[in-house]
Amino acid sequence: TVSIRFNITTHHLTSIRTLFVNKKDLLTMQNVFRIQKGSKLVNGKLFDTKRWNSTSNFTKAERENRAKSANVLRLVEGYRKFGHLNANLDPLGLLKNQDVPQLKPDFYCLEGEEAGKDINLEGILHLEKKKSAKLDEIIDHLKKSYCGPLAAQFSSLPDEEQQNWLYKAVESIPTSNLTKEEKRKTLETLIQAEVFDHFMSKKFGQVKRYGLEGLESTVPGLEAILETCAKEGATDVVITMAHRGRLNILTGLLQFPADQMFWKVKGNSEIPEGVESIGDVLSHLGQSVDLEFAGKKLHVTLIQNPSHLEAADPVAMGKVKARQVSSNDSDKSKVVCIMIHGDAAFTGQGVVTETFGLSKLTGYSVGGTIHIISNNQIGFTTSPNFGRSSRYAADVGKLVDAPLIHVNADAPEEVVKACRIAASFRNKYKSDVVVDLIGYRRHGHNELDEPSFTQPLVYKNVQGRASIVKHYSQQLQKEGIMTSEEAEEIRQKEDERLNASFKGMSDPTSTKDHFDSERWKKFEQPKDATVAVKTGVKKQTLEELAKKSVEIPSGSSIHPRLQKGFVQARLDALQKNQIDWATAESMAFGTLLKEGYSVRISGQDVGRGTFSHRHIELTDQENGNRFVPLNEVGKAKIYPVNSSLSEAAVMGFEYGYSIEDPNTLPIWEAQFGDFANSAQIIIDTFVTCGEAKWLKQSGLVLMLPHGYDGAGPEHSSGRVERFLQMVDSDAVNLDNPRNLRPNFSVINPTTPANIFHALRRQMHRNFRLPLIIMGPKKLIRFARANSKLEDMTEGTHFLPVIGDKSVEPDQ
């Protein structure tokens, strides 16, 4: 094995080829492009030991042809890598094209006699039904593929198979036209989207509706994704999206009743009388609907979102994960996640990056997410050159090697093609993909804003532009596919539908919330959350589980310090009837598992526990394998998920999991209580008020250990005052009915028995309520902080207040 390190530019490639004169050991130019530090030449083949995953997709004939026509291959690679810099992506012309030498044939000495030759395309370029072509034809095809209204970036993907699949998909676009029926359907969808925004403008001119004008092609694009997913075997899709176009997509593609929409727009509540909920603003509404594509049903859920738009991203992922687990979708092909982002938020909000960071992690991966950027090319009043440091908003996706597909929103057919490619890529490779839909915003951030205050030139351009609907309608008229009369008929029919709904709107009688779903039918809103719940368990069962929690599988070997200080210490303490914090936790988890409830605990170092107290997951010292003794006690499982160094995304993920699956105890544990600071938006907009706004119950547990023990001012406090301020109950005056139905509970447990009961109580009520455990860190390992088994046996329950027995009550 010979290590090779090259520092090269494209000018050196030809001379490098001469190093490999033996045909047997000939390297393809494709691999030469990717020589970098850490690469090795092994048995005549080049391997990038850090990134390159070659699957040897090329035949011997293709490899030889790639070497023979190396300069043509370099030209093709130039377009694949740099073509987007010369593409027609921006309908407003704000994104300036660049002069790129790598797109010119003379850069590769392809001129004169060589330019007129017939070139073998094997292993070089996908040109349908042609095995060879002249240089001019090759360049024309490359321009249509990579420099038109659709362009792509994926030459840096670390997987050769994925690259080649994408090359073929993109290079097939110029010859893969939509059928007449598909074109008619696309125009019909665009007309309906435009009619809705115009109707809203006419009827509700003073309402902030965040219209879709300038990005109407989002609708046929999203529909193409849903249709592709359904055809390729998906049964469920969960979507999260920002304000822009939300009402349009809701009442159109997602079939939200227009009469209920207009009822809400007029300032009424979407919540029926008698239901404990305050509702939310218009642009946060969600929907759950069954759609059908080519005879295949697809259940689509658009989750509600808060004003902190991207905060809903990890929530959607968590919901998808829970649904995949509950439906045994082990290959992640049945349940798909879609996120529709705004361009400014996609690059500006850290939770986007945090969520991307979860995409391939064990315990969080959902098999890839399809990202659509509704690219207005503006963030409120901030232009892209002030709003991000990269050329494209989509560049954030490079963090996880996601392919980026940029497309001009004024080219609806290309939008449909791009979205189909994105959906098929995700479904085939279970990896993230980003569609950057570049358009504009016809009005201000909302329709009441005046955008020309800050962008006069841009909005002079926008105001002089005909709509995408008008352009595409004229195109189909020229092609003889749809007449102007047919287009007008579609317009009138949609306007009549909306007018009928406007006249027939009335007070809603159904919440259509998650209590209607099969998994939530037995749950209801709490009437009195202060009622004691008997959560004690037989003593014999507790003893068995305590022993089982430290039972080491035959042939496994754990660290000797754990064998003595954890396993044997727990067994000794059990003999003395002294149950510490970690043992009480394990017994709570174990009893729930035996009863059929799953447990999911996530956060940084949760398997071991920040303070080396839990060790619910043990590691074999010989082979590094991990095992969880409690997973042998019943059919249900406990999932200790050690997370990335993220708080907002991970907590949001667990919240999303909790609103989907009421039969799993979901726990997020902070390393120190103050780490919740980094997830404050999730706490403020989901955990503490999800039921009040959207009727979404959550049993999420937040464990926030803290204390004054010399760890510094930050780690000393989990900021209990914030939670006490956010809770809508004073928990003192129980004569006040409001205090019987708090939005969440805050406890400061001081005994292992109380933590045992608190965790079990979460699953033994006919409602779900978030629980904030402001646990004193010192007590987690404090020897004198122990309970007796009798404090957790049948007939016992959680104690809101533990009296001091050493003091007389009347003194």
Side-chain angles (χ1 to χ4, degrees), residues 162 360 367-369 400-403 425-427 429-433:
Q162 291 182 16
K360 297 180 182 179
T369 294
V400 292
D401 296 312
F425 177 85
R426 181 272 165 201
N427 296 336
Y429 293 108
K430 304 300 184 290
S431 186
D432 285 64
V433 59

Side-chain angles (χ1 to χ4, degrees), residues 790-810:
E790 289 74 19
D791 297 329
M792 292 168 271
T793 53
E794 292 171 301
T796 57
H797 57 81
F798 175 77
L799 300 175
V801 178
I802 300 176
D804 187 347
K805 297 179 181 180
S806 66
V807 178
E808 292 294 331
D810 58 354

Side-chain angles (χ1 to χ4, degrees), residues 497-618:
R497 181 183 79 87
L498 295 175
N499 263 306
S501 295
F502 180 78
K503 293 175 182 177
M505 58 181 166
S506 60
D507 194 342
T509 56
S510 171
T511 59
K512 207 173 183 184
D513 58 74
H514 74 168
F515 292 118
D516 293 336
S517 69
E518 191 63 35
R519 297 170 70 83
W520 285 89
K521 278 186 177 178
K522 67 179 183 180
F523 297 93
E524 59 185 39
Q525 290 193 286
K527 296 179 176 62
D528 185 355
T530 67
V531 172
V533 180
K534 301 296 184 184
T535 47
V537 178
K538 289 181 179 179
K539 184 176 180 180
Q540 181 182 349
T541 301
L542 295 176
E543 290 175 331
E544 290 173 356
L545 288 170
K547 294 174 183 176
K548 194 72 177 177
S549 68
V550 290
E551 188 175 287
I552 310 304
S554 176
S556 295
S557 171
I558 67 170
H559 197 283
R561 284 176 58 187
L562 287 180
Q563 182 65 47
K564 179 181 179 181
F566 177 69
V567 174
Q568 194 56 49
R570 177 167 294 186
L571 296 175
D572 292 345
L574 184 62
Q575 287 288 327
K576 300 174 184 176
N577 199 9
Q578 294 176 350
I579 308 302
D580 65 11
W581 202 279
T583 306
E585 253 191 22
S586 291
M587 292 193 301
F589 296 152
T591 53
L592 290 173
L593 297 177
K594 285 180 72 70
E595 293 164 356
Y597 296 107
S598 297
V599 178
R600 179 182 166 94
I601 177 169
S602 83
Q604 297 145 26
D605 311 312
V606 294
R608 186 201 73 164
T610 299
F611 313 108
S612 196
H613 68 287
R614 181 175 290 123
H615 295 290
I616 206 164
E617 178 182 63
L618 297 167

